[in-house]
Coordinates of all heavy atoms in Angstrom, one line a residue:
T723 N -1.1 3.3 2.2 CA 0.2 3.9 2.1 C 0.2 4.9 0.9 O -0.7 4.8 0.1 CB 1.2 2.7 1.7 OG1 0.8 2.1 0.5 CG2 1.3 1.7 2.8
I724 N 1.1 5.8 0.9 CA 1.1 6.8 -0.1 C 1.3 6.2 -1.5 O 0.7 6.6 -2.5 CB 2.1 7.9 0.2 CG1 1.8 8.5 1.5 CG2 2.1 9.0 -0.9 CD1 2.8 9.5 2.1
H725 N 2.2 5.2 -1.6 CA 2.5 4.6 -2.9 C 1.2 4.0 -3.4 O 1.0 4.0 -4.7 CB 3.5 3.5 -2.7 CG 4.9 4.0 -2.6 ND1 5.6 4.1 -1.3 CD2 5.8 4.5 -3.5 CE1 6.8 4.6 -1.5 NE2 7.0 4.8 -2.8
S726 N 0.4 3.4 -2.6 CA -0.9 2.8 -3.1 C -1.9 3.8 -3.4 O -2.9 3.5 -4.0 CB -1.4 1.8 -2.1 OG -0.5 0.7 -1.9
S727 N -1.7 5.1 -3.0 CA -2.8 6.1 -3.2 C -2.6 6.9 -4.5 O -3.5 7.6 -4.9 CB -2.7 7.1 -2.0 OG -1.6 8.0 -2.1
K728 N -1.4 6.7 -5.1 CA -1.2 7.4 -6.4 C -2.3 7.2 -7.4 O -2.6 6.0 -7.6 CB 0.2 7.1 -6.9 CG 0.6 8.0 -8.1 CD 2.1 7.8 -8.4 CE 2.5 8.7 -9.6 NZ 1.9 8.4 -10.8
G729 N -2.8 8.2 -8.0 CA -3.8 8.1 -9.0 C -5.2 8.2 -8.4 O -6.2 8.3 -9.2
L730 N -5.3 8.3 -7.1 CA -6.6 8.3 -6.4 C -6.8 9.7 -5.8 O -5.8 10.5 -5.7 CB -6.7 7.3 -5.3 CG -6.5 5.8 -5.8 CD1 -6.5 4.9 -4.6 CD2 -7.6 5.4 -6.8
E731 N -8.0 10.0 -5.4 CA -8.3 11.3 -4.7 C -9.4 11.2 -3.8 O -10.3 10.4 -4.0 CB -8.5 12.4 -5.8 CG -9.6 12.1 -6.8 CD -9.7 13.0 -7.9 OE1 -8.9 13.0 -8.8 OE2 -10.6 13.9 -7.9
W732 N -9.5 12.1 -2.8 CA -10.5 12.1 -1.8 C -10.9 13.6 -1.5 O -10.0 14.5 -1.6 CB -10.2 11.4 -0.5 CG -9.9 9.9 -0.7 CD1 -10.8 8.9 -0.6 CD2 -8.6 9.3 -1.0 NE1 -10.2 7.7 -0.8 CE2 -8.8 7.9 -1.1 CE3 -7.3 9.8 -1.3 CZ2 -7.8 7.0 -1.4 CZ3 -6.3 8.9 -1.6 CH2 -6.6 7.5 -1.6
N733 N -12.0 13.8 -0.9 CA -12.4 15.2 -0.5 C -11.5 15.6 0.7 O -11.1 16.7 0.8 CB -13.8 15.2 0.0 CG -14.8 15.3 -1.2 OD1 -14.4 15.4 -2.3 ND2 -16.1 15.1 -0.9
A734 N -11.2 14.7 1.6 CA -10.5 15.0 2.8 C -9.4 14.0 3.0 O -9.6 12.8 2.9 CB -11.4 15.0 4.0
V735 N -8.2 14.5 3.3 CA -7.0 13.6 3.5 C -6.2 14.0 4.7 O -5.9 15.2 4.9 CB -6.0 13.7 2.2 CG1 -4.7 13.0 2.5 CG2 -6.7 13.1 1.0
C736 N -5.9 13.1 5.5 CA -5.0 13.2 6.7 C -3.7 12.4 6.4 O -3.8 11.3 6.0 CB -5.7 12.8 8.0 SG -7.2 13.6 8.4
I737 N -2.6 13.0 6.7 CA -1.3 12.3 6.6 C -0.7 12.3 8.0 O -0.6 13.3 8.7 CB -0.4 13.1 5.6 CG1 -1.1 13.4 4.3 CG2 0.9 12.3 5.3 CD1 -0.4 14.3 3.4
I738 N -0.2 11.1 8.4 CA 0.3 11.0 9.8 C 1.8 10.8 9.8 O 2.5 10.5 8.8 CB -0.4 9.8 10.5 CG1 -0.1 8.5 9.8 CG2 -1.9 10.1 10.5 CD1 -0.7 7.3 10.5
D739 N 2.4 10.9 11.0 CA 3.8 10.6 11.3 C 4.8 11.5 10.5 O 5.7 10.9 10.0 CB 4.1 9.1 11.1 CG 3.8 8.3 12.4 OD1 3.6 8.9 13.4 OD2 3.8 7.1 12.3
L740 N 4.5 12.8 10.4 CA 5.4 13.7 9.7 C 6.6 14.1 10.6 O 6.7 15.2 11.0 CB 4.7 14.9 9.2 CG 4.1 14.8 7.8 CD1 5.1 14.7 6.7 CD2 3.1 13.7 7.6
I741 N 7.4 13.1 11.0 CA 8.6 13.4 11.8 C 9.8 12.6 11.2 O 9.6 11.7 10.5 CB 8.4 12.9 13.3 CG1 8.0 11.4 13.3 CG2 7.3 13.8 14.0 CD1 7.9 10.9 14.7
E742 N 11.0 13.1 11.6 CA 12.2 12.5 11.1 C 12.2 11.0 11.5 O 11.8 10.6 12.6 CB 13.4 13.2 11.6 CG 13.7 14.5 10.9 CD 15.1 15.0 11.2 OE1 15.9 14.4 12.0 OE2 15.4 16.2 10.8
D743 N 12.8 10.2 10.7 CA 13.0 8.8 10.8 C 11.7 8.0 10.4 O 11.8 6.8 10.2 CB 13.4 8.3 12.3 CG 14.8 8.8 12.6 OD1 15.5 9.2 11.7 OD2 15.1 8.7 13.8
R744 N 10.6 8.7 10.3 CA 9.4 8.1 9.8 C 9.0 8.6 8.4 O 8.5 7.9 7.5 CB 8.3 8.2 10.8 CG 8.5 7.5 12.1 CD 7.4 7.5 13.0 NE 7.7 6.9 14.3 CZ 6.8 6.8 15.3 NH1 5.6 7.2 15.2 NH2 7.2 6.2 16.4
F745 N 9.1 10.0 8.3 CA 8.8 10.6 7.0 C 9.6 11.9 6.9 O 9.2 12.9 7.4 CB 7.3 10.9 6.9 CG 6.8 11.1 5.5 CD1 5.5 10.8 5.1 CD2 7.7 11.5 4.4 CE1 5.1 11.0 3.8 CE2 7.2 11.6 3.1 CZ 5.9 11.4 2.8
P746 N 10.8 11.9 6.3 CA 11.4 10.8 5.5 C 11.9 9.7 6.4 O 12.1 9.9 7.6 CB 12.6 11.5 4.8 CG 13.0 12.6 5.7 CD 11.7 13.1 6.3
S747 N 12.1 8.5 5.8 CA 12.5 7.4 6.6 C 14.0 7.6 7.0 O 14.7 8.5 6.4 CB 12.5 6.1 5.7 OG 13.3 6.2 4.6
R748 N 14.4 6.9 8.0 CA 15.8 7.1 8.5 C 16.8 6.8 7.4 O 17.8 7.5 7.2 CB 16.1 6.1 9.6 CG 17.4 6.2 10.2 CD 17.5 5.2 11.4 NE 16.5 5.5 12.4 CZ 16.2 4.8 13.5 NH1 17.0 3.7 13.7 NH2 15.3 5.1 14.3
H749 N 16.5 5.8 6.6 CA 17.5 5.4 5.5 C 17.6 6.5 4.5 O 18.7 6.7 3.9 CB 16.9 4.1 4.8 CG 17.8 3.6 3.7 ND1 19.0 3.1 4.0 CD2 17.6 3.6 2.4 CE1 19.6 2.7 2.8 NE2 18.8 3.0 1.9
A750 N 16.5 7.3 4.2 CA 16.6 8.3 3.2 C 17.3 9.6 3.6 O 17.6 10.4 2.7 CB 15.1 8.7 2.8
M751 N 17.6 9.7 4.9 CA 18.2 11.0 5.3 C 19.6 11.1 4.9 O 20.2 12.2 5.0 CB 18.1 11.1 6.9 CG 16.7 11.2 7.4 SD 16.0 12.9 7.0 CE 16.9 13.9 8.1
N752 N 20.3 10.0 4.5 CA 21.7 10.1 4.2 C 22.0 10.1 2.7 O 23.2 10.2 2.3 CB 22.4 8.8 4.8 CG 22.3 8.9 6.3 OD1 22.4 10.0 6.9 ND2 22.2 7.7 7.0
R753 N 21.0 10.0 1.8 CA 21.3 10.0 0.4 C 20.4 11.0 -0.3 O 19.2 11.0 -0.1 CB 21.1 8.6 -0.2 CG 22.1 7.6 0.3 CD 22.0 6.3 -0.5 NE 22.2 6.5 -1.9 CZ 22.0 5.6 -2.8 NH1 21.4 4.4 -2.5 NH2 22.3 5.8 -4.1
V754 N 21.0 11.9 -1.0 CA 20.2 13.0 -1.6 C 19.1 12.5 -2.6 O 18.0 13.0 -2.6 CB 21.1 14.0 -2.4 CG1 21.8 13.4 -3.6 CG2 20.3 15.3 -2.8
E755 N 19.4 11.4 -3.3 CA 18.4 10.9 -4.3 C 17.2 10.4 -3.5 O 16.0 10.6 -3.9 CB 19.0 9.8 -5.1 CG 20.1 10.2 -6.0 CD 21.5 10.1 -5.3 OE1 21.5 9.8 -4.1 OE2 22.5 10.3 -5.9
E756 N 17.4 9.7 -2.4 CA 16.3 9.1 -1.7 C 15.6 10.2 -0.9 O 14.3 10.1 -0.7 CB 16.8 8.0 -0.8 CG 17.4 6.8 -1.5 CD 17.9 5.7 -0.6 OE1 17.5 5.7 0.6 OE2 18.7 4.8 -1.1
F757 N 16.3 11.1 -0.4 CA 15.7 12.3 0.4 C 14.7 13.0 -0.6 O 13.6 13.3 -0.2 CB 16.8 13.2 0.9 CG 16.3 14.3 1.7 CD1 16.0 14.2 3.0 CD2 16.1 15.6 1.1 CE1 15.5 15.2 3.8 CE2 15.6 16.7 1.9 CZ 15.3 16.5 3.2
E758 N 15.1 13.3 -1.8 CA 14.3 14.0 -2.7 C 13.1 13.1 -3.2 O 12.0 13.7 -3.4 CB 15.1 14.4 -3.9 CG 16.1 15.6 -3.6 CD 15.4 16.8 -3.1 OE1 14.3 17.1 -3.5 OE2 16.0 17.4 -2.2
E759 N 13.2 11.8 -3.2 CA 12.1 11.0 -3.5 C 11.1 11.0 -2.4 O 9.9 11.0 -2.7 CB 12.5 9.6 -3.8 CG 11.3 8.7 -4.1 CD 11.7 7.4 -5.0 OE1 12.6 7.5 -5.8 OE2 11.0 6.4 -4.8
E760 N 11.6 11.1 -1.2 CA 10.6 11.2 0.0 C 9.9 12.6 -0.1 O 8.7 12.6 0.2 CB 11.4 11.2 1.3 CG 12.1 9.8 1.5 CD 11.2 8.8 2.1 OE1 10.5 9.0 3.1 OE2 11.1 7.7 1.5
R761 N 10.5 13.6 -0.6 CA 9.9 14.9 -0.8 C 8.7 14.7 -1.8 O 7.6 15.2 -1.6 CB 10.9 16.0 -1.3 CG 10.2 17.3 -1.5 CD 11.1 18.3 -2.3 NE 12.4 18.4 -1.7 CZ 12.7 19.3 -0.6 NH1 11.7 19.9 -0.1 NH2 13.9 19.4 -0.2
R762 N 9.1 14.0 -2.9 CA 8.0 13.8 -3.9 C 6.9 13.0 -3.4 O 5.7 13.2 -3.8 CB 8.7 13.2 -5.2 CG 9.8 14.0 -5.8 CD 10.2 13.5 -7.2 NE 10.8 12.2 -7.2 CZ 12.1 12.0 -7.1 NH1 12.9 13.0 -7.0 NH2 12.6 10.8 -7.1
L763 N 7.2 12.1 -2.5 CA 6.2 11.2 -1.9 C 5.2 12.1 -1.1 O 4.0 11.8 -1.2 CB 6.8 10.2 -1.0 CG 6.0 8.9 -0.6 CD1 5.6 8.1 -1.9 CD2 6.8 8.0 0.3
L764 N 5.7 13.0 -0.4 CA 4.8 13.9 0.4 C 3.9 14.7 -0.6 O 2.8 15.0 -0.3 CB 5.6 14.8 1.3 CG 4.7 15.8 2.2 CD1 3.7 15.0 3.0 CD2 5.7 16.6 3.0
Y765 N 4.5 15.2 -1.7 CA 3.8 16.0 -2.7 C 2.7 15.1 -3.2 O 1.5 15.6 -3.4 CB 4.8 16.4 -3.8 CG 4.1 16.9 -5.0 CD1 3.7 18.3 -5.1 CD2 4.0 16.1 -6.2 CE1 3.1 18.8 -6.2 CE2 3.4 16.6 -7.3 CZ 3.0 18.0 -7.3 OH 2.4 18.5 -8.5
V766 N 2.9 13.9 -3.5 CA 1.9 13.0 -4.0 C 0.8 12.9 -3.0 O -0.4 12.9 -3.3 CB 2.5 11.6 -4.4 CG1 1.3 10.6 -4.6 CG2 3.3 11.7 -5.7
A767 N 1.1 12.7 -1.7 CA 0.1 12.5 -0.7 C -0.8 13.8 -0.6 O -2.0 13.7 -0.5 CB 0.8 12.3 0.6
C768 N -0.1 14.9 -0.6 CA -0.9 16.2 -0.4 C -1.8 16.4 -1.6 O -3.0 17.0 -1.4 CB 0.0 17.4 -0.2 SG 0.9 17.3 1.4
T769 N -1.4 16.1 -2.8 CA -2.2 16.4 -3.9 C -3.3 15.4 -4.1 O -4.1 15.4 -5.1 CB -1.3 16.4 -5.2 OG1 -0.6 15.2 -5.3 CG2 -0.4 17.6 -5.2
R770 N -3.5 14.4 -3.2 CA -4.7 13.5 -3.3 C -5.9 14.3 -2.7 O -7.0 13.8 -2.9 CB -4.5 12.3 -2.4 CG -3.3 11.4 -2.8 CD -3.2 11.0 -4.2 NE -2.4 11.9 -5.0 CZ -2.4 12.1 -6.3 NH1 -3.2 11.4 -7.0 NH2 -1.5 12.9 -6.9
A771 N -5.7 15.4 -2.0 CA -6.8 16.0 -1.3 C -7.5 17.1 -2.2 O -6.9 17.9 -2.8 CB -6.3 16.7 -0.1
R772 N -8.9 17.0 -2.2 CA -9.6 18.0 -3.0 C -10.0 19.2 -2.1 O -9.8 20.4 -2.5 CB -11.0 17.4 -3.4 CG -10.8 16.2 -4.4 CD -12.2 15.9 -5.0 NE -12.3 14.6 -5.7 CZ -12.8 13.5 -5.2 NH1 -13.4 13.5 -4.0 NH2 -12.8 12.4 -5.9
Q773 N -10.5 19.0 -0.9 CA -11.0 20.1 -0.1 C -10.4 20.3 1.2 O -10.3 21.5 1.7 CB -12.6 19.9 0.1 CG -13.3 19.8 -1.2 CD -14.8 19.4 -1.0 OE1 -15.3 19.5 0.1 NE2 -15.4 18.8 -2.0
Y774 N -9.9 19.3 1.8 CA -9.4 19.4 3.2 C -8.1 18.6 3.3 O -8.0 17.4 2.8 CB -10.4 18.8 4.2 CG -9.8 18.8 5.6 CD1 -9.8 19.9 6.5 CD2 -9.2 17.6 6.1 CE1 -9.3 19.8 7.7 CE2 -8.7 17.5 7.4 CZ -8.7 18.7 8.2 OH -8.2 18.6 9.5
L775 N -7.1 19.2 3.9 CA -5.8 18.5 4.1 C -5.2 18.8 5.5 O -5.2 19.9 5.9 CB -4.8 19.0 3.0 CG -3.3 18.5 3.1 CD1 -3.2 17.0 2.9 CD2 -2.4 19.3 2.2
A776 N -4.8 17.7 6.2 CA -4.2 17.9 7.5 C -3.0 17.0 7.6 O -3.0 15.8 7.1 CB -5.2 17.5 8.6
L777 N -1.9 17.5 8.1 CA -0.6 16.8 8.3 C -0.4 16.7 9.9 O -0.4 17.7 10.6 CB 0.6 17.5 7.7 CG 0.7 17.4 6.2 CD1 -0.4 18.2 5.5 CD2 2.1 17.8 5.7
F778 N -0.3 15.5 10.4 CA -0.1 15.3 11.8 C 1.4 15.1 12.1 O 2.1 14.2 11.6 CB -0.9 14.0 12.2 CG -2.4 14.3 12.3 CD1 -3.1 14.4 11.2 CD2 -3.0 14.5 13.5 CE1 -4.5 14.6 11.2 CE2 -4.4 14.8 13.6 CZ -5.1 14.9 12.4
V779 N 1.9 16.0 13.0 CA 3.3 16.0 13.4 C 3.5 15.9 14.9 O 3.4 16.8 15.6 CB 3.9 17.4 12.9 CG1 5.4 17.4 13.1 CG2 3.6 17.7 11.4
P780 N 3.6 14.6 15.4 CA 3.8 14.4 16.8 C 5.0 15.2 17.4 O 6.0 15.3 16.8 CB 4.0 12.9 16.9 CG 3.4 12.3 15.7 CD 3.7 13.4 14.6
K781 N 4.8 15.7 18.6 CA 5.8 16.5 19.3 C 6.8 15.5 19.9 O 8.0 15.9 20.2 CB 5.3 17.4 20.3 CG 4.5 18.6 19.8 CD 4.0 19.5 20.9 CE 3.3 20.7 20.3 NZ 2.9 21.6 21.4
A782 N 6.4 14.3 20.2 CA 7.3 13.4 20.9 C 7.0 11.9 20.5 O 5.9 11.7 19.9 CB 7.1 13.5 22.4

Side-chain angles (χ1 to χ4, degrees):
T723 61
I724 299 169
H725 284 100
S726 296
S727 75
K728 189 169 180 291
L730 303 175
E731 55 188 76
W732 297 269
N733 284 348
V735 171
C736 299
I737 310 169
I738 63 174
D739 271 349
L740 267 296
I741 56 176
E742 280 191 10
D743 292 351
R744 295 188 184 179
F745 201 155
S747 66
R748 181 177 305 173
H749 183 68
M751 291 293 287
N752 294 326
R753 295 188 61 191
V754 65
E755 298 88 353
E756 295 180 17
F757 183 81
E758 289 301 323
E759 179 156 330
E760 296 279 304
R761 181 193 304 280
R762 299 193 294 269
L763 197 61
L764 179 58
Y765 168 80
V766 167
C768 292
T769 53
R770 301 308 95 197
R772 297 192 193 102
Q773 301 169 21
Y774 174 85
L775 174 65
L777 285 72
F778 286 76
V779 187
K781 292 185 176 182

